[in-house]
Amino acid sequence: MTKTVHIIGAGISGLSAAVRLANENLKVHVHEATQQAGGRCRSYFDAATNLTIDNGNHLLLSGNRHAVAYARSIGTQAGLVGPKSAQFPFVDLRTGQRWQLDLGDGRLPLWVFDEARRVPDTGLFDYLALMPLIWAAKSKLVGDAIPCKGTLYERLVQPLLFAALNVDPPEGSAGLAGAVVRETLLAGGQACRPLIARDGLSAVLVEPAIRLLQQKGASIAFGHELRAFSMSGDRVGELQFGDDTVAIGPECVVVLAVPPRPASALLPGLKTPTKFRAIVNAHFRFDPPRDMPPILGVVGGLVEWLFAFPQRLSITISNGDRLVDMPREELAQAIWRDICKAGSVAGELPPWQIVRERRATFEATPEQNALRPGAQTGWKNLFLAGDWTDTGLPATIEGSVRSGNRAADLVLALR
Ligand SMILES: Cc1cc2nc3c(=O)[nH]c(=O)nc-3n(C[C@H](O)[C@H](O)[C@H](O)COP(=O)(O)OP(=O)(O)OC[C@H]3O[C@@H](n4cnc5c(N)ncnc54)[C@H](O)[C@@H]3O)c2cc1C
């Protein structure tokens, strides 16, 4: 009879598993290596801008149903805010052309039949050419499944898949891209409404989970890094944290919700993705003009998405490995130039911060996707969670929550 669960890692996957299990009245102990929960999805005070910023701008879509349900379960669904319908304004920095993609709020992608709502200069057949992606095999490349050129590609498919896969789409996994398209574009505008944690990732997705866990009697130990497992037959026997060791009795189960590198160090022989891609975010202390949309898609420049927050403009650049060694000031200047054009703002470079997450996501290629393990391990009381486990999705909050829920369900199935 399982009564106690030790969860290693307080990122979104570990927290979602913890919340689900605490709600089922299991005794939950969370162990986090750092002093802060949230992992790759967290906020912190930044002295350079004198603002609380997120490590990265995180965009959810209303079709991310597990992520939205997780927010609901911790009482913060209202903190995920976005426009009433799935409208995406875009600007092309090369031509200055602006347009708005209006996916409406239906359950079917009927907008493709309406010339006024399609991407400008695209026709119905351009959209039909995307069909092979929908059920593409995991081993296939996006570039072998659909045409990676032309107006529709440049103005919609490339920005969407670049952000979702964090690789240049032609080299990405068509299977993962297909999952994204099925759950968003193909599910109509009601699944594509952009959602942002406006008050910060930690305030909306992390701290309320910690509070709920504490109310339910769970313990959360920060600065408590798991250094090694001791195995006993086909079970985990002990957790070794350096200064202390926790015995894992017959009623105890462990969920390992750490990134791939620590997971493979803790479990030698575990198959995990081995290649990663960076995401670059930059934050500028600047009051957005009143008419600036909360999210603006940018093509033809360095910047890909421009987010307007109170007192702050922030940008995201995916697949950012080429920028990780660029001098920071030079990068800030280049980004600010793009922002001025895209956002129609002017002025000297305001106070700024650049956050370069080198291993933001595993590389969403067919080769790396094939290295993702399931949640079960060779040990009966050890399950895996994390955006890099085999969720069928790229490394996203939605994938993390699904992985946490799946690990929790496996724990509950032992009862
Ligand atoms: C810059 C950036 C932008 C992103 N943008 C988006 C986006 O727009 N939309 C989206 O859906 N997703 C986005 N993502 C992806 C999303 O953040 C991740 O998929 C998600 O946060 C991963 O959660 P996780 O729990 O799987 O892993 P992690 O967040 O990596 O959590 C793992 C935790 O385990 C801890 N840990 C590690 N080793 C140990 C140990 N030995 N003992 C104890 N604890 C340990 C770590 O400190 C960490 O807290 C982005 C990511 C980044 C970095």
Side-chain angles (χ1 to χ4, degrees):
M1 175 79 175
T2 305
K3 291 190 181 140
T4 306
V5 186
H6 290 271
I7 295 181
I8 318 297
I12 297 296
S13 60
L15 291 176
S16 53
V19 166
R20 200 170 179 111
L21 292 168
N23 280 336
E24 293 290 332
N25 298 320
L26 266 69
K27 182 80 190 151
V28 172
H29 300 284
V30 180
H31 308 271
E32 166 56 44
T34 67
Q35 296 299 332
Q36 191 185 352
R40 278 169 282 153
C41 176
R42 67 189 186 285
S43 319
Y44 57 91
F45 178 74
D46 170 58
T49 53
N50 201 22
L51 293 169
T52 296
I53 59 174
D54 293 332
N55 69 313
N57 302 307
H58 280 58
L59 180 63
L60 289 173
L61 294 178
S62 44
N64 295 155
R65 56 186 201 284
H66 293 81
V68 172
Y70 163 74
R72 194 181 311 124
S73 75
I74 58 172
T76 56
Q77 189 182 356
L80 294 174
V81 296
K84 283 203 176 60
S85 76
Q87 292 174 335
F88 292 86
F90 274 92
V91 59
D92 185 334
L93 292 187
R94 290 163 302 198
T95 60
Q97 190 178 4
R98 290 178 189 267
W99 68 94
Q100 176 154 284
L101 190 65
D102 181 0
L103 311 185
D105 54 9
R107 289 180 182 275
L108 290 170
L110 299 177
W111 57 275
V112 299
F113 298 103
D114 182 347
E115 196 180 341
R117 289 166 62 200
R118 287 200 290 257
V119 173
D121 310 321
T122 62
L124 185 57
F125 285 104
D126 296 323
Y127 295 83
L128 294 179
L130 301 179
M131 297 292 276
L133 203 54
I134 296 171
W135 298 110
K138 281 185 181 173
S139 55
K140 206 164 187 160
L141 291 170
V142 172
D144 290 336
I146 56 162
C148 289
K149 57 181 195 289
T151 307
L152 181 63
Y153 176 74
E154 281 178 20
R155 292 183 172 175
L156 175 64
V157 179
Q158 200 274 356
L160 174 76
L161 295 186
F162 206 63
L165 301 178
N166 199 24
V167 296
D168 196 19
E171 62 166 328
S173 155
L176 293 178
V180 172
V181 170
R182 281 198 306 278
E183 296 191 13
T184 56
L185 286 183
L186 205 63
Q190 55 98 31
C192 298
R193 221 159 51 78
L195 296 172
I196 291 179
R198 193 191 42 207
D199 299 329
L201 292 170
S202 291
V204 177
L205 295 175
V206 179
E207 283 152 13
I210 301 285
R211 281 196 295 276
L212 186 138
L213 288 170
Q214 285 166 338
Q215 280 159 16
K216 297 257 172 201
S219 75
I220 296 144
F222 292 105
H224 210 218
E225 179 182 350
L226 181 68
R227 302 278 170 82
F229 287 108
S230 295
M231 302 305 186
S232 166
D234 59 2
R235 295 177 63 84
V236 175
E238 271 179 5
L239 301 177
Q240 294 169 11
F241 291 97
D243 288 347
D244 59 322
T245 297
V246 174
I248 299 298
E251 79 296 349
C252 281
V253 180
V254 180
V255 174
L256 185 64
V258 303
R261 282 157 55 106
S264 56
L266 288 161
L267 295 172
L270 179 71
K271 200 174 65 161
T272 69
T274 51
K275 293 184 185 165
F276 306 90
R277 293 287 170 98
I279 297 180
V280 175
N281 278 264
H283 309 272
F284 299 83
R285 191 185 173 102
F286 191 90
D287 287 322
R290 273 178 190 283
D291 57 351
M292 188 180 265
I295 307 163
L296 177 66
V298 184
V299 298
L302 182 60
V303 164
E304 289 147 15
W305 297 95
L306 171 57
F307 296 82
F309 291 99
Q311 294 184 284
R312 171 164 62 97
L313 294 176
S314 292
I315 64 91
T316 298
I317 303 171
S318 298
N319 194 18
D321 293 63
R322 68 196 184 284
L323 302 174
V324 290
D325 295 323
M326 186 169 170
R328 287 168 55 79
E329 173 90 26
E330 195 183 313
L331 183 55
Q333 291 283 7
I335 292 171
W336 183 244
R337 281 195 294 276
D338 267 15
I339 292 180
C340 289
K341 275 197 243 168
S344 307
V345 296
E348 292 294 303
L349 182 66
W352 55 273
Q353 183 57 273
I354 289 178
V355 188
R356 297 186 266 206
E357 291 267 6
R358 284 171 191 261
R359 278 186 286 276
T361 68
F362 74 90
E363 199 178 83
T365 56
E367 176 217 13
Q368 291 295 306
N369 191 41
L371 297 173
R372 300 168 80 185
Q376 279 167 317
T377 68
W379 292 277
K380 289 203 163 74
N381 60 347
L382 176 63
F383 300 109
L384 302 176
D387 61 356
W388 55 277
T389 58
D390 190 10
T391 63
L393 292 175
T396 50
I397 295 185
E398 175 69 6
S400 302
V401 173
R402 276 190 208 187
S403 76
N405 289 348
R406 183 181 55 182
D409 287 344
L410 288 166
V411 172
L412 294 171
L414 293 179
R415 286 205 291 187

